[in-house]
Amino acid sequence: MSVLVHTPAHSQVAKPLSYWSDQFLAPGTLVRVPLGKRELLGLVWDTPDETEPPNAPEADKIRPLAGVLDGVAPLNAAWRQLMTFGAGYYQRSVGEVALAALPPQLRELSPLQLGRRLKRQAQAAAPEQHRPPDTTDLVALTPEQARAIAQFDAETRPCLLFGATGSGKTEVYLQCVQRLLTQSPNAQALVMVPEINLTPQLEARFRARFAPHYGEQALVAMHSGMTPAQRLQSWLAAHSGQARIVLGTRMAIFASMPTLQLIVVDEEHDPSYKSQDGARYSARDLAVYRAHLEGARVMLGSATPSLESWHHSRAAAQGGRYGRLTMASRIGHDQPTELQHKTQNNPPHGLPLVRRVDMTHQPKHCVVAPPLVQAIAERVARGEQSMVFLNRRGYAPVLHCADCDWKSECPHCSAYRVFHKIDRTLRCHHCGFAERVPRACPACGNPDIAPLGRGTERLEEHLSELLAQVRRPGTESELYPQGEPVRIARIDADTTRLKGTLASQLAQVHDGTVDVLVGTQMIAKGHDFRRITLVAAVNPDGALFSSDFRAPERLFGLLMQAAGRAGRDAETSSRSEMWLQTAHPKHPLFEALKQHDYPAFAEQQLRERAQAAMPPFSFQALVRAEARTQEVAQGFLSAASAAVSDLPQSEQWLARVTLYPPVPMSIQRVADVERAQMLVESASRATLQSFLALWHTALHATRGQAAGRGLIRWAVDVDPLSI
Ligand code: ADP
Ligand code: ZN
Ligand code: ZN
């Protein structure tokens, strides 16, 4: 039998290994195999074709399988094909990809233990009484929603659901899933969300809709926040077909779902769909591939689609190959005519009014402009909520000595350590190195070291000073005869470190305990807050002039998502506002944002990308290297580059693939490791793919030579998101 095992990344054992078995085992069967002194989980794999000699020792050295996990049906051909494709496309070994796609506990349990687990699960799944779904308890769709669904039904291609924030995309997903489940009694649907903290809300909505008809077992979640036992349970339910709906984060794209017929990717533009270690796969891109492979339908949804998906959904004449479904209005707002939209200065379709504050006209060093403070105070007095966001956590990004110019650099990274006031530490956000704040400047002894710049922690403190006189309405008490002071809360990676804290903090926002919410982009995404009528971005300018060509796309998406948190309730949407504090109020990005005009922004960005031959008009891969010294890291990349000229037909490759010179990464050193990267680009995806496959062996050989000189790691990132 050919058996795949989880071999270390980049080991030469990329092919399946051979084992004896006295019975025939179908490809996809889970087995236990001995490897060296250990026993591992293995997957019986399709036997390589005759032309390729299998990775087999002499017959008498082949060892027998240690066991078969026979309670679990073999993984089907489509799933195996997905693994083979994923490994090939992202330049990893198929053993690594396939075994990592299985729940970790499956690797640890013996056949006996697994058998017991399966028995328990089967008992728990005793049939429940299900009420057949009936159409009366469906929400009445808006005309836009109905049109989107009809269009989706009429399409065979992948579809982009381009729907404004609050236009009811989730309802469209729910109804598409509902229709599928009613139409075919076995069909399964996969619904993906970008972040774990968005799964509970979505899960609650799906559960409320489907559990009464199909039972609690019909819906399972899959994300890395679950315990190993829960993950195994969900996985088995999906694999057996018992779970009709799988909700999960990017890892769920690898779930075994034998009757998969629909994949939904919510917030498809979100960077968290791209894995940043191991096989650097894009779950969104794999969703499109997988749907194609299994003959399933796929719907990608977003208010601010990735430029890739937007490009794919242009008219066929412009190279489009996806359908595009548009929902421009928020629920509770009729779609205005083109004319109304152009003649009124009001924002379209119930979306918040965007106000730009020119910070060059505000008092010097002011952090929150006085008119914004005023606007927040008015909200508090009316009992409405505001959300203020700043993409930097901690108190201040740097601590500084004015006498000798000492700054709180991290000794291990090319970055500053961030000052966290709450526990008085200097913490490096790259390597985690933390120390207590020194009492005086470590370089000159000056006791007056001061924070430079501002993070969410300091913003929260600052806002509570600015709003100290403001009172909540109708809250007079003995202690506060004029009403209670304003309540400010902060949500960021620091305040949510403990399990469950995020959920409880979000609950306080939902139930109205909090008046002003301060946070990082964590709060800007996806949440269906009902009482927020003002959203403010304190300092969005940083990304305007970034060297990363995707920075404007990300900034626009983030700001539009953030704006989408305001005025989600039809009653308040008419007075909801998004404030931007900027030194560049006339910047085209902000102009487009003011109009809520994603299509105009996207067309302008795509023109620029086309002129510069950048993605989606070209295809990229990054080779990254980490070493003790920058010289070794770059040396490896240069040698790899030079090795191209030894490839067969190297001139033809070099004419069609561009290899840029190695450069240090933007944060060059992290945890005492030097990092460098090299960009590889081609006008054709297929060319880039064939080139990478051919070049891989050369990279391995080069690596062998460089390892002795201190090369630590290297990796290829296909379709990288940040450069
Ligand atoms: P999106 O995902 O596009 O941001 P949601 O699906 O969360 O929007 O919908 C926004 C709000 O509108 C939700 O509270 C939802 O329950 C409500 N909603 C959606 N569709 C309808 C409908 N057809 N009729 C009434 N309310 C709806
Ligand atoms: Zn000093
Ligand atoms: Zn560090």
Side-chain angles (χ1 to χ4, degrees), residues 158-375:
C159 285
L160 176 69
L161 175 63
F162 170 52
T165 50
S167 61
K169 293 186 290 295
T170 314
E171 188 58 43
V172 171
Y173 307 150
L174 284 161
Q175 301 236 1
C176 287
V177 171
Q178 168 95 62
R179 292 152 71 95
L180 176 72
L181 299 199
T182 355
Q183 277 157 19
S184 41
N186 300 315
Q188 292 179 299
L190 169 62
V191 181
M192 294 204 289
V193 283
E195 291 199 35
I196 296 182
N197 66 52
L198 294 174
T199 45
Q201 214 184 8
L202 191 76
E203 188 180 336
R205 274 177 85 174
F206 271 77
R207 206 163 274 292
R209 185 70 59 90
F210 294 107
H213 306 309
Y214 299 96
E216 295 290 340
Q217 320 276 343
L219 184 93
V220 297
M222 270 187 202
H223 57 75
S224 57
M226 296 163 54
T227 66
Q230 287 168 333
R231 275 175 71 174
L232 178 62
Q233 195 178 356
S234 293
W235 187 87
L236 288 169
H239 178 60
S240 70
Q242 185 189 60
R244 306 285 306 277
I245 306 168
V246 173
L247 289 179
T249 52
R250 67 168 181 258
M251 67 191 304
I253 192 57
F254 293 124
S256 163
M257 299 178 69
T259 51
L260 179 64
Q261 287 192 25
L262 172 67
I263 308 180
V264 171
V265 184
D266 189 24
E267 312 289 8
E268 67 87 31
H269 63 279
D270 199 289
S272 27
Y273 282 122
K274 181 90 157 85
S275 166
Q276 291 304 336
D277 51 39
R280 292 169 179 243
Y281 63 91
S282 155
R284 178 205 53 222
D285 295 350
L286 285 179
V288 175
Y289 175 83
R290 185 170 185 181
H292 170 74
L293 183 71
E294 311 219 16
R297 300 299 316 282
V298 61
M299 181 185 279
L300 312 176
S302 178
T304 53
S306 63
L307 286 176
E308 280 80 5
S309 299
W310 186 254
H311 175 61
H312 289 320
S313 71
R314 296 209 274 187
Q318 288 169 287
R321 47 198 187 80
Y322 294 178
R324 185 188 294 168
L325 325 170
T326 303
M327 301 198 304
S329 333
R330 274 192 159 177
I331 296 289
H333 296 268
D334 293 331
Q335 186 160 21
T337 63
E338 193 71 6
L339 188 69
Q340 276 170 327
H341 179 125
K342 290 256 153 67
T343 50
Q344 293 170 352
N345 207 15
N346 285 335
H349 329 319
L351 289 165
L353 175 71
V354 175
R355 313 185 82 118
R356 292 161 289 183
V357 183
D358 187 344
M359 293 307 274
T360 59
H361 293 161
Q362 297 299 318
K364 234 181 166 187
H365 303 305
C366 114
V367 179
V368 184
L372 176 55
V373 178
Q374 181 61 28

Side-chain angles (χ1 to χ4, degrees), residues 585-651:
K586 293 278 175 251
H587 195 284
L589 190 147
F590 295 140
E591 293 284 352
L593 193 74
K594 182 166 177 55
Q595 306 297 328
H596 296 274
D597 196 347
Y598 172 83
F601 171 76
E603 289 310 320
Q604 173 263 330
Q605 286 284 310
L606 283 174
R607 266 196 307 279
E608 276 181 22
R609 299 259 187 109
Q611 272 160 14
M614 288 209 245
F617 305 98
S618 68
F619 300 88
Q620 300 181 326
L622 270 182
V623 189
R624 296 207 167 93
E626 298 185 355
R628 288 286 159 226
T629 66
Q630 188 59 225
E631 197 190 342
V632 170
Q634 290 193 27
F636 164 73
L637 297 174
S638 305
S641 188
V644 175
S645 42
D646 299 333
L647 295 180
Q649 282 139 14
S650 63
E651 271 157 37

Side-chain angles (χ1 to χ4, degrees), residues 424-475:
R424 300 209 60 83
T425 55
L426 285 179
R427 240 186 277 153
C428 174
H429 288 183
H430 300 279
C431 71
F433 179 69
E435 270 181 340
R436 282 195 61 79
V437 172
R439 287 178 190 285
C441 169
C444 75
N446 169 19
D448 248 1
I449 41 178
L452 269 192
R454 204 163 294 265
T456 44
E457 198 186 333
R458 193 176 189 186
L459 180 63
E460 179 191 13
E461 182 185 279
H462 188 56
L463 274 169
S464 56
E465 285 160 14
L466 291 171
L467 299 170
Q469 303 311 319
V470 180
R471 290 291 174 267
R472 318 182 88 212
T475 58

